[in-house]
Amino acid sequence: MKHLLSILLLCATLTTFAQTDQKLTAQLKAATKNFNGDVGIYVHNLKTGKTAAINADTLFPTASMIKVSILSGLMDKIEKGEIQYNQKLVYRDSLLYPGVDILGSFKDKDTIQVSKVALLMITMSDNTASTWLQKLVGGEYINNWLDQNGFKVMRVNSRIPARRAIWQIYGWGVTTPREMCRLFTMIHDGKAISPAASERMSRMLNRIFWDNGALSQIPPYVQTLSKQGAVDASKSETVLVNAPHGDYVFSIITKNNKDQRWVPDNEADLLIKKVSALLWHYFEPDSKWQPAAGMDKYMLNE
């Protein structure tokens, strides 16, 4: 029996080694070596099955990336007929999340469709839209959906009393780079709620306004699904790229960042761009594409 267990363990180890892209892993480690903070990365080539990982199962703040989980809960309720996709909602001033969001400029008692609130949440990362939809769906409902779909750690924390302690550490949501990639892959494969719901989610996730990070290092003619997250000490991005030679997905998340400036040359923001460019040219080695000269002035999204 002990001999059989040893053989099974060896087979599992060899399988993991075979699936690991050692060359890419080495390049990612070199790229992140001097980063002043903690960084986690997971990369999965959906065509070959090869992966690369650095702290891929470490807990990190999601910041706004948790909005993809909120969208998942919303679409689940729409699929069940509990909410209608084009249902009209009445905005109230009490819903305002302080900031510069589009929805926050609405007047009390203005109406808007669920579909447009969801689009604002994903495309513009509108916080007022996001907290409104979280309230509409229910934070615990979203977390139950995550649990039922095999997500071990990805959870919404804010506005859920039982998760207050972990909210104090990680903020709005918590995840790992691996689980972020898994959620995007489910959507890509049509396995999030239903094929139709997944397709609707994909169409939202490929209309991102905040394209000055990882997306800026991928040709504009290549479709991507993505979501970004940023707070003072954590910057993150998850992207699924429909690349010519095979789709790939990656998530890079940072925390405990020393550089907490909100400027274009923030260290974490530069790292995200560096990793995205590295991956594009690694998987598309014949591509000569580079961001056009003078693009910097068109990437000052605010």
Side-chain angles (χ1 to χ4, degrees), residues 1 31 40 46 50 72 111 116 121 136 158-159 199-200 212 225 240 276 297:
M1 184 66 176
L46 301 180
K50 291 276 190 176
S72 299
T111 60
K116 293 178 180 177
M121 173 176 71
L136 182 68
S158 69
R159 298 168 177 80
E199 184 172 310
R200 179 70 270 173
N212 52 321
L225 312 183
L240 194 151
S276 180
K297 67 181 179 181

Side-chain angles (χ1 to χ4, degrees), residues 40-282:
I41 299 175
Y42 186 70
V43 184
H44 184 194
N45 185 316
L46 301 180
K47 182 178 181 180
T48 67
K50 291 276 190 176
T51 63
I54 299 173
N55 300 322
D57 298 307
T58 298
L59 297 182
F60 285 90
T62 61
S64 287
M65 291 196 303
I66 200 61
K67 295 167 186 176
V68 185
S69 299
I70 298 172
L71 179 63
S72 299
L74 173 68
M75 297 303 286
D76 189 59
K77 283 213 165 187
I78 291 173
E79 187 76 13
K80 292 174 178 175
E82 297 176 22
I83 297 174
Q84 301 304 310
Y85 181 67
N86 283 324
Q87 178 179 329
K88 282 193 175 181
L89 301 176
V90 179
Y91 176 78
R92 302 310 302 260
D93 287 342
S94 59
L95 294 166
L96 176 65
Y97 188 104
V100 290
D101 294 330
I102 291 174
L103 196 55
S105 65
F106 272 43
K107 295 179 181 178
D108 191 54
K109 297 184 180 179
D110 278 351
T111 60
I112 185 172
Q113 294 168 317
V114 167
S115 56
K116 293 178 180 177
V117 178
L119 188 66
L120 285 172
M121 173 176 71
I122 297 300
T123 300
M124 298 300 300
S125 206
D126 190 297
N127 286 326
T128 298
S130 306
T131 53
W132 190 3
L133 289 179
Q134 181 180 321
K135 181 179 180 181
L136 182 68
V137 176
E140 292 184 356
Y141 186 94
I142 295 163
N143 286 345
N144 286 337
W145 184 89
L146 289 166
D147 181 60
Q148 291 164 10
N149 284 274
F151 293 90
K152 303 300 183 185
V153 299
M154 187 190 300
R155 296 291 186 271
V156 176
N157 298 324
S158 69
R159 298 168 177 80
I160 301 177
R163 296 189 63 83
R164 183 169 179 78
I166 198 165
W167 167 77
Q168 291 176 327
I169 300 171
Y170 294 102
W172 197 340
V174 63
T175 191
T176 66
R178 191 188 303 271
E179 287 206 342
M180 282 305 309
C181 287
R182 181 169 177 266
L183 179 54
F184 271 68
T185 302
M186 283 179 66
I187 296 169
H188 168 272
D189 292 346
K191 296 178 179 179
I193 297 97
S194 70
S198 294
E199 184 172 310
R200 179 70 270 173
M201 294 166 77
S202 292
R203 291 184 182 277
M204 290 186 185
L205 290 163
N206 68 29
R207 296 174 176 175
I208 299 297
F209 173 76
W210 304 102
D211 58 0
N212 52 321
L215 299 186
S216 71
Q217 304 304 304
I218 299 167
Y221 47 80
V222 173
Q223 180 171 282
T224 57
L225 312 183
S226 72
K227 192 70 194 77
Q228 302 67 31
V231 291
D232 289 349
S234 174
K235 311 293 183 189
S236 55
E237 195 151 355
T238 302
V239 186
L240 194 151
V241 184
N242 298 132
H245 289 86
D247 297 349
Y248 64 93
V249 61
F250 68 95
S251 184
I252 172 169
I253 316 179
T254 65
K255 64 180 179 180
N256 301 320
N257 300 356
K258 182 179 179 181
D259 185 355
Q260 299 187 12
R261 301 170 302 147
W262 289 82
V263 292
D265 64 345
N266 172 276
E267 184 185 23
D269 289 334
L270 292 179
L271 178 63
I272 289 171
K273 293 169 68 173
K274 181 179 180 180
V275 167
S276 180
L278 185 161
L279 292 173
W280 170 256
H281 291 289
Y282 185 83

Side-chain angles (χ1 to χ4, degrees), residues 21-34 41 43 52-54 271 274-275 277-283 285:
D21 190 325
Q22 302 290 345
K23 180 181 176 182
L24 177 57
T25 301
Q27 290 186 18
L28 291 171
K29 285 182 177 179
T32 59
K33 183 178 180 181
N34 297 315
I41 299 175
V43 184
I54 299 173
L271 178 63
K274 181 179 180 180
V275 167
L278 185 161
L279 292 173
W280 170 256
H281 291 289
Y282 185 83
F283 291 123

